[in-house]
């Protein structure tokens, strides 16, 4: 059985939130293969000590790299602490990423409370759980 892959992303005003959340959930997160966009990944490596594969910064293509993982069914969950009050120049990429999670039935948490609920679900740590993939060829 392969290790599941989780992506961690946070907008600038939410980076402190994801660091604090990851510190509280370090033990659970360490069980997964972790990927993160640029600065978020650097902060989580430095402040939490997680083993993370860093992708590009979101505005430089990191969101699209995560989107590609979703489209290729190589991502099992996304923790994306996005800031709805501060528009970002790559906002279309953000919306596309969230859309892909819905298209491919990938669980996504967009804030601390939804992340808490997702990580505390018994299914989160269940190695046998596999989300159903939609069949768009019908």
């Amino acid at each position: 059985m392969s290790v599941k892959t989780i992506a961690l992303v946070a907008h600038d005003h939410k980076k402190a939130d994801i660091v604090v959340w990851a510190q509280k959930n370090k033990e659970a997160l360490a069980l997964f293969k972790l990927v993160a966009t640029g600065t978020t990944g650097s902060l989580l490596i430095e402040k939490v000590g997680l083993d993370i594969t860093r992708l590009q910064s979101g505005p430089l293509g990191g969101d699209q790299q995560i989107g590609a993982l979703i489209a290729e069914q190589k991502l099992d969950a996304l923790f994306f602490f996005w800031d709805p009050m501060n528009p970002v120049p790559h906002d279309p990429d953000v919306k596309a990423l969230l859309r892909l999670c819905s298209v491919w039935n990938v669980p996504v948490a967009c804030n601390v409370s939804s992340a808490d609920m997702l990580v505390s679900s018994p299914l989160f740590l269940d190695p046998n759980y596999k989300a159903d993939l939609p069949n768009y060829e019908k």
Side-chain angles (χ1 to χ4, degrees):
M1 182 148 313
S2 64
V3 175
K4 293 184 179 181
T5 302
I6 293 174
L8 301 160
V9 182
H11 284 161
D12 288 346
H13 292 102
K14 299 294 182 175
K15 290 192 190 311
D17 290 347
I18 204 166
V19 167
V20 170
W21 178 84
Q23 287 168 334
K24 291 178 184 174
N25 293 283
K26 181 179 178 178
E27 189 175 311
L29 292 172
L31 300 173
F32 298 90
K33 178 182 176 191
L34 303 174
V35 298
T37 51
T39 307
T40 301
S42 294
L43 285 170
L44 292 170
I45 291 166
E46 176 189 333
K47 300 198 179 285
V48 185
L50 291 168
D51 183 18
I52 295 175
T53 299
R54 285 182 59 239
L55 305 174
Q56 294 292 326
S57 171
L60 298 179
D63 294 337
Q64 292 180 343
Q65 288 177 292
I66 291 173
L69 292 173
I70 295 167
E72 296 169 355
Q73 290 89 55
K74 293 180 180 177
L75 192 73
D76 298 290
L78 171 63
F79 292 83
F80 189 171
F81 288 23
W82 66 286
D83 186 353
M85 303 307 280
N86 287 300
V88 292
H90 61 292
D91 195 55
D93 298 335
V94 173
K95 299 291 189 292
L97 188 56
L98 296 174
R99 179 187 166 279
L100 282 173
C101 286
S102 290
V103 167
W104 292 107
N105 201 24
V106 172
V108 60
C110 295
N111 54 43
V112 173
S113 61
S114 61
D116 285 343
M117 288 187 186
L118 183 57
V119 77
S120 66
S121 167
L123 297 176
F124 186 71
L125 295 176
D126 183 348
N128 297 313
Y129 178 78
K130 186 70 176 156
D132 290 333
L133 289 176
N135 182 355
Y136 291 108
E137 294 185 20
K138 292 181 186 176

